[in-house]
Amino acid sequence: MEHVRLNNGTTMPYLGTGTNTYGKENNDYNGDLNGDFSALESAIKMGYRLIDTAISYRNEAGVGKTVKESGIDRSEFYLTTKIPPQDDYVKDKQTVRKTLNQSLKNLQSDYIDLYLIHKPIEDEDKLKLTWEVLEEFVGKGKIRTIGVSNFTNEDLEKLGQFATIKPAVNQIKSNPVEWNNEWIKFMLDRDIRPQAWGPMKTTEQHRDVLAEIGERYGKTWAQVLLRYQTQRGIIVIPKSHDPKNQKANLESLDFLLSDDDMKKITQL
Ligand SMILES: NC(=O)c1ccc[n+]([C@@H]2O[C@H](COP(=O)([O-])OP(=O)(O)OC[C@H]3O[C@@H](n4cnc5c(N)ncnc54)[C@H](OP(=O)(O)O)[C@@H]3O)[C@@H](O)[C@H]2O)c1
């Protein structure tokens, strides 16, 4: 597995699995929890170690249980979770501490690799106190790396005014429908690592072009797309319920696109 170095000196895998519909009826984001984590079990067996969950997915505990029951040492995994911006989780420091401790409990671990603020917290005082508690947990060794998600450039600048620890990652939407390249450049220029959520969103036209490029490498449209992102420094967390696709996504890391093909994909 290829790893990327973050601005705090730690490394994380370039590719992981999303989980936002795992453990739910009909693989539906809003579906009732049904405890079915077979998709995550299959991903882990295949070699996925970066696992992306969130409090709002309601499945942290199921993810923690599946990781534990895999029998693989905790140190081999890279677990990400996220704190929602609502008052229930961030209204004061005690509430934030309670939220983070609950994540540790759910994930059955004494540390979390990457903890993100899921969405911008509009109230500046609450943003500040949440970040301070995240920094406090880094100090205690309970969280290794802290970052954000869906933070605009302005949100990042606001955070930068008081953060003692700089965010290492900003998880944002990036796919051929919406690359968000200006945003990505802003982050890369400041050594904040972009991570792409929703990476598979494409139109038929995009898939045709990607598939045509893939023919030269014996790769599918999906593998070309994921490779494009990782090759330009973006971490990806595609989610699949299909073991064939999970395997294909993992195998997107075993080839390199030519500069010409990289340019073609940028212009999609
Ligand atoms: N921070 C945020 O605000 C935020 C927002 C959304 C998502 N996320 C995170 O990002 C993760 C990924 O995003 P997502 O789940 O929304 O969407 P996604 O990974 O872009 O797309 C998932 C879809 O792609 C299909 N797929 C996956 N691999 C494929 C392949 N090789 N070939 C063809 N189809 C393939 C899956 O179908 P099959 O199941 O049939 O393979 C599924 O329908 C989430 O699970 C979550 O962890 C974060």
Side-chain angles (χ1 to χ4, degrees):
M1 175 64 67
E2 268 177 63
H3 282 67
V4 59
R5 184 166 291 275
L6 304 178
N7 64 19
N8 63 354
T10 63
T11 60
M12 77 179 282
Y14 251 121
L15 183 137
T17 179
T19 65
N20 64 0
T21 51
Y22 288 180
K24 299 179 186 178
E25 287 293 343
N26 304 319
N27 304 336
D28 173 11
Y29 183 83
N30 293 312
D32 289 338
L33 297 179
N34 66 3
D36 178 2
F37 282 87
S38 51
L40 183 57
E41 284 164 22
S42 133
I44 292 172
K45 279 200 191 101
M46 227 167 257
Y48 283 85
R49 294 294 177 264
L50 161 58
I51 301 172
D52 181 85
T53 182
I55 290 173
S56 52
Y57 304 165
R58 299 171 288 132
N59 62 11
E60 265 186 343
V63 167
K65 183 168 181 280
T66 309
V67 165
K68 190 78 163 189
E69 289 176 355
S70 72
I72 297 166
D73 201 79
R74 167 70 182 90
S75 62
E76 288 193 30
F77 286 98
Y78 193 100
L79 303 182
T80 303
T81 192
K82 315 182 192 86
I83 186 167
Q86 288 84 12
D87 269 9
D88 282 355
Y89 307 95
V90 304
K91 73 168 177 293
D92 53 36
K93 283 196 171 182
Q94 252 337 80
T95 306
V96 178
R97 288 189 192 105
K98 199 168 143 214
T99 304
L100 304 187
N101 281 322
Q102 186 60 45
S103 289
L104 285 159
K105 206 166 157 195
N106 287 343
L107 291 169
Q108 301 190 35
S109 182
D110 51 13
Y111 71 95
I112 289 167
D113 297 276
L114 176 61
Y115 214 117
L116 307 177
I117 298 181
H118 205 146
K119 288 180 185 155
I121 300 172
E122 299 306 334
D123 180 312
E124 203 161 323
D125 291 340
K126 286 175 188 160
L127 171 65
K128 189 163 182 281
L129 70 85
T130 301
W131 195 254
E132 281 170 0
V133 175
L134 285 165
E135 289 176 338
E136 180 186 305
F137 272 56
V138 171
K140 288 186 192 157
K142 290 185 176 189
I143 296 176
R144 301 249 162 110
T145 299
I146 52 180
V148 294
S149 178
N150 303 302
F151 270 44
T152 63
N153 298 348
E154 294 71 40
D155 293 322
L156 289 171
E157 273 173 348
K158 204 188 332 171
L159 179 60
Q161 283 165 14
F162 55 78
T164 308
I165 302 178
K166 190 170 159 177
V169 170
N170 188 13
Q171 187 182 109
I172 65 157
K173 177 163 55 172
S174 177
N175 54 53
V177 178
E178 236 175 317
W179 288 125
N180 282 319
N181 281 342
E182 286 297 312
W183 197 359
I184 284 169
K185 185 176 180 312
F186 181 90
M187 289 180 239
L188 289 173
D189 286 348
R190 287 158 183 77
D191 200 15
I192 297 172
R193 184 60 48 178
Q195 184 177 36
W197 63 257
M200 310 310 288
K201 190 169 177 195
T202 42
T203 63
E204 201 176 329
Q205 205 186 346
H206 295 138
R207 291 193 287 277
D208 286 347
V209 177
L210 292 165
E212 199 184 307
I213 293 172
E215 276 172 26
R216 287 196 274 288
Y217 305 88
K219 293 290 180 185
T220 64
W221 68 264
Q223 291 173 315
V224 171
L225 173 54
L226 292 172
R227 193 38 165 163
Y228 170 73
Q229 294 284 39
T230 53
Q231 202 169 315
R232 68 183 185 135
I234 300 179
I235 304 159
V236 284
I237 42 168
K239 180 269 318 280
S240 172
H241 287 267
D242 178 343
K244 280 202 301 296
N245 286 345
Q246 290 178 329
K247 185 163 185 289
N249 295 346
L250 210 50
E251 289 172 354
S252 69
L253 291 174
D254 64 10
F255 76 112
L256 280 176
L257 291 159
S258 69
D259 290 348
D260 269 4
D261 287 334
M262 288 293 286
K263 273 192 208 117
K264 263 186 221 148
I265 300 166
T266 307
Q267 284 153 15
L268 274 181

